[in-house]
Amino acid sequence: AQRVTQPEKLLSVFKGAPVELKCNYSYSGSPELFWYVQYSRQRLQLLLRHISRESIKGFTADLNKGETSFHLKKPFAQEEDSAMYYCALSGEGYQKVTFGTGTKLQVIP
Amino acid sequence: DTGVSQDPRHKITKRGQNVTFRCDPISEHNRLYWYRQTLGQGPEFLTYFQNEAQLEKSRLLSDRFSAERPKGSFSTLEIQRTEQGDSAMYLCASSSYRRDYEKLFFGSGTQLSVL
């Protein structure tokens, strides 16, 4: 079974402060991990994935297999980062994508 | 608009009625997913297709729910004998199996309200 846990429902930070959105997963094999984002009145969309090792809009995420975590980080929060963030996992062999419950990021001006 | 489209956007029905939703994926995408989302929760997996084959259906899903993708293009999700607990946003997403299969493109969803 594959499971994704996001312990925080809401994270409020001031503009310019660092951001860390937590994600832990449960999967017996080697998963693919992703972060999806939903801005107000927009569709859910892919933000980044661990295999790409990319930085999107200043966000990065490192897969830590020992801690089974995939936390999303940004050094300096911007107001436009306010959104719902969902951590997601896909199992080996092109399996389905499973989502966490989401964290609402609120950046205070 | 060449994105994923869902119809209808909103559906209000009485308990016990049957409802059917439609999803049109991006044309070259061969994977199609259905998710359900309630307030404060993330998208909950319901089922997914690769072309016309239904690869998996959530074990949590009641037998009242059925999905089809007869020609590997559009898909329908039917809920029979609706219950108030079925009230939710039903999301459809598609992806390309051959490249970036995990990059899901979502529709705007169908909001179901069961009275």
Side-chain angles (χ1 to χ4, degrees), chain A residues 52-81:
Chain A
S52 301
R53 296 186 177 276
E54 56 197 349
S55 173
I56 303 293
K57 299 184 178 183
F59 284 98
T60 58
D62 291 319
L63 177 59
N64 186 324
K65 292 187 177 182
E67 296 183 358
T68 60
S69 68
F70 188 58
H71 303 326
L72 183 68
K73 300 177 183 179
K74 184 171 183 177
F76 308 104
Q78 303 298 314
E79 289 181 64
E80 55 265 30
D81 296 329

Side-chain angles (χ1 to χ4, degrees), chain A residues 34 36 43 49 94 97, chain B residues 4 31 35 37 56 102 104:
Chain A
F34 324 94
Y36 277 76
R43 302 179 184 193
R49 50 197 144 179
Y94 308 107
V97 180
Chain B
V4 178
R31 279 214 171 169
Y35 289 90
Q37 187 172 25
E56 186 174 342
E102 74 286 356
L104 272 55

Side-chain angles (χ1 to χ4, degrees), chain A residues 11-90:
Chain A
L11 181 65
S12 296
V13 301
F14 285 100
K15 177 181 175 181
V19 174
E20 183 179 47
L21 299 172
K22 297 189 186 307
C23 172
N24 290 91
Y25 67 89
S26 173
Y27 183 71
S28 56
S30 294
E32 301 281 349
L33 274 297
F34 324 94
W35 278 96
Y36 277 76
V37 62
Q38 187 168 27
Y39 301 103
S40 179
R41 302 180 190 281
Q42 294 188 25
R43 302 179 184 193
L44 196 58
Q45 59 186 290
L46 179 66
L47 178 64
L48 57 77
R49 50 197 144 179
H50 89 273
I51 56 173
S52 301
R53 296 186 177 276
E54 56 197 349
S55 173
I56 303 293
K57 299 184 178 183
F59 284 98
T60 58
D62 291 319
L63 177 59
N64 186 324
K65 292 187 177 182
E67 296 183 358
T68 60
S69 68
F70 188 58
H71 303 326
L72 183 68
K73 300 177 183 179
K74 184 171 183 177
F76 308 104
Q78 303 298 314
E79 289 181 64
E80 55 265 30
D81 296 329
S82 295
M84 282 294 301
Y85 290 81
Y86 296 95
C87 185
L89 175 154
S90 176

Side-chain angles (χ1 to χ4, degrees), chain B residues 52-103:
Chain B
E52 64 275 11
Q54 188 172 21
L55 297 186
E56 186 174 342
K57 181 177 175 181
S58 171
R59 285 174 290 177
L60 300 176
L61 208 57
S62 159
D63 289 343
R64 298 183 295 106
F65 287 71
S66 63
E68 293 183 341
R69 195 183 182 196
K71 297 183 179 179
S73 55
F74 74 91
S75 175
T76 56
L77 177 67
E78 181 183 16
I79 308 174
Q80 295 182 328
R81 305 181 302 281
T82 53
E83 300 173 356
Q84 288 186 328
D86 297 332
S87 295
M89 175 73 81
Y90 289 84
L91 295 169
C92 177
S94 70
S95 70
S96 172
Y97 176 71
R98 290 186 181 161
R99 51 179 292 193
D100 299 337
Y101 76 96
E102 74 286 356
K103 185 174 182 179

